[in-house]
Amino acid sequence: MAKSFHKGQWTVQLRNAGKLRKDLDDIKASNAKAVKATVSDMRARAPGAIASCVTAIYNIKKSEITPASGKSEKPKKMAGSIRVSGETIDEMTITYTGRMLTPTHFGMTPKTPPKGKKYTLKQQVIKGESKVIGRYLNTRTPGGPYAKRSHNILMGTGAKSVDKVAAIPFQRMSENRTDLRKFTTISMPQMITSDRVAPSIKERLSNMLRERLDHHMKRQLGTK
């Protein structure tokens, strides 16, 4: 380092400035690569982490709220759709869309109506909290299929394949056979944004982001 005075000013001349500039450029490039790799990791891992937070509270299969990977088929009862967008950490967005779900996603029993027998219809939306959502009484009795108004009872969907949902709950609202109200529970976006789940998702994704960024920074800078 050479030092000299010029008109009362202190001037510093750095030797090997070209190499220093190259080293700084290399560090900048390494940082960009680390950020890009982190975003790639988050795009791949975040949906699964979110699904784990949801299924820790709600009684729904993880496969129903996780995108299918590779060539694997999606389950028949997908709870909605997921879209991951953005190429930087600040721009990355995970968008969940989905309809209101029927109890078939939440351990509904029975799955099909026992022929000619009365039954109690139950679901378990929150793990460990089984609730009665309807009752079916014998034919031509109050609350039965010929009543003016019924409880939530199972009605066929018309599905022929055994791997499809054969029946879902409806409530008969009047004597009119087409005056039916489908029973629904909660949607996938509602589960994710609920007070029961949202805080754990935020914490888990924040920890994941820090861990992956630290991992890739060390790898790029050769300090791992």
Side-chain angles (χ1 to χ4, degrees), residues 124-184:
Q124 187 180 148
V125 176
I126 304 296
K127 283 189 171 180
E129 297 183 10
S130 181
K131 293 185 177 181
V132 174
I133 58 173
R135 288 183 174 86
Y136 174 84
L137 303 178
N138 291 331
T139 304
R140 301 188 184 282
T141 59
Y146 297 95
K148 291 182 179 180
R149 189 181 181 94
S150 72
H151 296 283
N152 291 308
I153 58 177
L154 290 174
M155 297 186 181
T157 62
K160 302 297 182 182
S161 177
V162 294
D163 59 357
K164 293 184 178 180
V165 177
I168 56 177
F170 284 89
Q171 182 180 14
R172 190 181 299 283
M173 306 305 296
S174 69
E175 290 180 304
N176 185 343
R177 292 180 61 84
T178 62
D179 188 9
L180 304 173
R181 179 184 296 170
K182 183 169 68 173
F183 182 85
T184 57

Side-chain angles (χ1 to χ4, degrees), residues 10 16 36 68 70-71 75 79 91 104 116 130 171 192 209 215 223:
W10 183 260
N16 298 321
K36 184 177 180 179
K71 296 181 179 180
E91 295 175 350
T104 58
S130 181
Q171 182 180 14
I192 291 167
L209 178 60
H215 167 79
T223 59

Side-chain angles (χ1 to χ4, degrees), residues 67 89 166:
I89 292 174

Side-chain angles (χ1 to χ4, degrees), residues 170-216:
F170 284 89
Q171 182 180 14
R172 190 181 299 283
M173 306 305 296
S174 69
E175 290 180 304
N176 185 343
R177 292 180 61 84
T178 62
D179 188 9
L180 304 173
R181 179 184 296 170
K182 183 169 68 173
F183 182 85
T184 57
T185 56
I186 192 172
S187 69
M188 182 166 65
Q190 287 175 328
M191 287 187 281
I192 291 167
T193 58
S194 72
D195 292 339
R196 297 173 182 264
V197 174
S200 63
I201 290 177
K202 182 178 180 180
E203 180 180 5
R204 185 155 184 171
L205 292 186
S206 295
N207 291 338
M208 180 185 292
L209 178 60
R210 285 194 296 268
E211 187 273 327
R212 299 316 300 167
L213 182 58
D214 182 62
H215 167 79
H216 289 297

Side-chain angles (χ1 to χ4, degrees), residues 90-105:
D90 291 336
E91 295 175 350
M92 182 178 167
T93 303
I94 305 175
T95 305
Y96 289 82
T97 57
R99 65 195 183 285
M100 295 295 287
L101 302 173
T102 65
T104 58
H105 294 266

